[in-house]
């Protein structure tokens, strides 16, 4: 069953679209890891953000369906699967800088 995210007619719809993605647990960290490190294999993402395999698999599928990342299969042998941000996913860079700046202010 899909949960409909809350909406406000008083807030920018573009802001709300971004928050629909970032408010989901782990999504921001997955996107940030791929932004910082480039193309990564499943196990590398899991190690970087310490997430359970099942949850990581679900989130990667969601983010791929939303057009933020793509699954890259190298036919091998052995077959290697990795993930990288799409052009839309790369757009997270500016948000990442802003959130990091804000985070520094929060922890001071």
């Amino acid at each position: 069953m899909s949960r409909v995210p809350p909406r406000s007619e008083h807030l920018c719809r573009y802001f709300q679209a971004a928050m629909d993605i970032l408010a989901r647990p782990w999504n921001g960290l997955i996107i940030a890891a791929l932004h910082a490190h480039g193309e990564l294999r499943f196990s590398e993402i899991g190690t970087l953000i310490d997430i359970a395999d099942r949850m990581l698999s679900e989130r990667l599928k969601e983010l791929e369906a939303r057009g933020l990342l793509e699954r890259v299969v190298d036919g091998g042998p052995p077959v290697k699967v990795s993930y990288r941000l799409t052009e839309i996913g790369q757009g997270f860079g500016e948000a990442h800088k802003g959130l990091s700046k804000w985070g520094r202010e929060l922890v001071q």
Side-chain angles (χ1 to χ4, degrees):
M1 185 167 119
S2 179
R3 184 177 67 83
V4 176
R7 296 272 177 219
S8 171
E9 63 184 61
H10 305 289
L11 294 175
C12 171
R13 68 184 177 120
Y14 305 118
F15 173 80
Q16 290 183 77
M19 288 307 298
D20 286 348
I21 293 165
L22 295 178
R24 299 269 299 159
W26 302 104
N27 281 354
L29 295 174
I30 293 167
I31 296 168
L34 290 168
H35 182 264
H37 298 280
E39 191 170 307
L40 294 169
R41 297 187 64 188
F42 183 92
S43 61
E44 293 171 322
I45 299 169
T47 299
L48 282 171
I49 63 174
D50 194 25
I51 182 175
D53 287 351
R54 181 174 173 214
M55 179 61 70
L56 179 56
S57 180
E58 288 176 20
R59 293 300 186 245
L60 289 171
K61 288 175 187 173
E62 276 180 31
L63 293 169
E64 182 180 17
R66 304 269 319 239
L68 296 169
L69 61 83
E70 60 186 346
R71 185 174 184 263
V72 180
V73 179
D74 177 7
V79 173
K80 293 180 184 177
V81 177
S82 58
Y83 298 85
R84 66 178 170 220
L85 294 177
T86 61
E87 188 175 335
I88 294 171
Q90 287 289 336
F92 176 74
E94 288 301 312
H96 185 258
K97 288 178 193 173
L99 288 168
S100 293
K101 181 177 184 255
W102 186 41
R104 276 192 300 276
E105 294 169 4
L106 291 172
V107 298
Q108 289 182 5

